[in-house]
C-alpha cells in the first residue's frame, strides 16, 4: 500500500465526501487492527478490551476528531495515540478503583508498552506527558516508536527530521523517561 491512496482518501473524507470513508476503511483496517493487537499484546488476562473493541472505540474517536491528517503516517500516528489514550484512561480508572490511585514507577521497554499492570501504564504515561512539556518532539518520537510501532525511518518522515536525529531523540528520551520513573518511585 502506498501513501497516495490513503492520503487522497483521507483528504476526501475530511472534505466531507461521505463515500471516501467507505473506501478508506478497507484500505486502513488491517493496519489499524495490527496496531490494536500490538496495544493489547501482553495485557493482563481478563482485560475488558479486545483488539476489536479497542479498534472500534478508536475509530469512533478518529471519526469525530477534528484533525487535519497530513498523510498516511500522520493518520496512523494519531490512531496509535488514541488507542494508547483509551488504554491509559482505562488503566487510570482501574488503578483508582483497586488501589486508591497509587501508581508504581516502572522502566521503559517494549514489553511494558505492550502490557503489564494498569499502574505501570499510568506511570509511563505520566512520564511521557512530562517529557512532552520539556521536549514535544522527543515525546512524539517515543510515541511513534513504541506506541505506533513505526521504524526510525518512518518516524523521520512523519516528523520531518533526519533518521539520525530520530535515533538520538530516542536515546535521550528513553534516558529521560527512565530517570523520571526512578524519581517517581
Amino acid at each position: 500500500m502506498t501513501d497516495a491512496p490513503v492520503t487522497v482518501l483521507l483528504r476526501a473524507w475530511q472534505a466531507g465526501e461521505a463515500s471516501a470513508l467507505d473506501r478508506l476503511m478497507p484500505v486502513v483496517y488491517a493496519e489499524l487492527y495490527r496496531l490494536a493487537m500490538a496495544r493489547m499484546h501482553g495485557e493482563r488476562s481478563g482485560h475488558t478490551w479486545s483488539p476489536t473493541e479497542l479498534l472500534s472505540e478508536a475509530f469512533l474517536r478518529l471519526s469525530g476528531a477534528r484533525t487535519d491528517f497530513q498523510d498516511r503516517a500522520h493518520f496512523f500516528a494519531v490512531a496509535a495515540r488514541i488507542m494508547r489514550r483509551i488504554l491509559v484512561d482505562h488503566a487510570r480508572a482501574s488503578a483508582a478503583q483497586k488501589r486508591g490511585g497509587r501508581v508504581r514507577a516502572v522502566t521503559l521497554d517494549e514489553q511494558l508498552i505492550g502490557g503489564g499492570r494498569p499502574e505501570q501504564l499510568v506511570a509511563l504515561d505520566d512520564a511521557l506527558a512530562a517529557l512532552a512539556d520539556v521536549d514535544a518532539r522527543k515525546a512524539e518520537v517515543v510515541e511513534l516508536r513504541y506506541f505506533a510501532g513505526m521504524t526510525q525511518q518512518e518516524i523521520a518522515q512523519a516528523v520531518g527530521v533526519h533518521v539520525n536525529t530520530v535515533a538520538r531523540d530516542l536515546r535521550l528520551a528513553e534516558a529521560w523517561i527512565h530517570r523520571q520513573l526512578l524519581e517517581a518511585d
Side-chain angles (χ1 to χ4, degrees), residues 5 47 64 79 84 101 122 126 138 155 165:
H47 194 285
R84 181 183 69 121
V122 171
D126 289 344
K138 284 181 180 60
I155 296 168
T165 302

Side-chain angles (χ1 to χ4, degrees), residues 10-56:
L10 283 169
R11 291 199 176 127
W13 173 42
Q14 291 175 309
E17 186 180 322
S19 66
L21 182 58
D22 294 332
R23 295 188 320 256
L24 176 66
M25 279 313 295
V27 175
V28 298
Y29 183 84
E31 182 68 12
L32 287 173
Y33 189 79
R34 185 194 66 75
L35 282 173
M37 288 286 293
R39 297 295 63 82
M40 296 304 299
H41 177 74
E43 284 289 334
R44 70 189 188 286
S45 61
H47 194 285
T48 56
W49 291 91
S50 72
T52 303
E53 291 168 329
L54 178 59
L55 174 56
S56 296

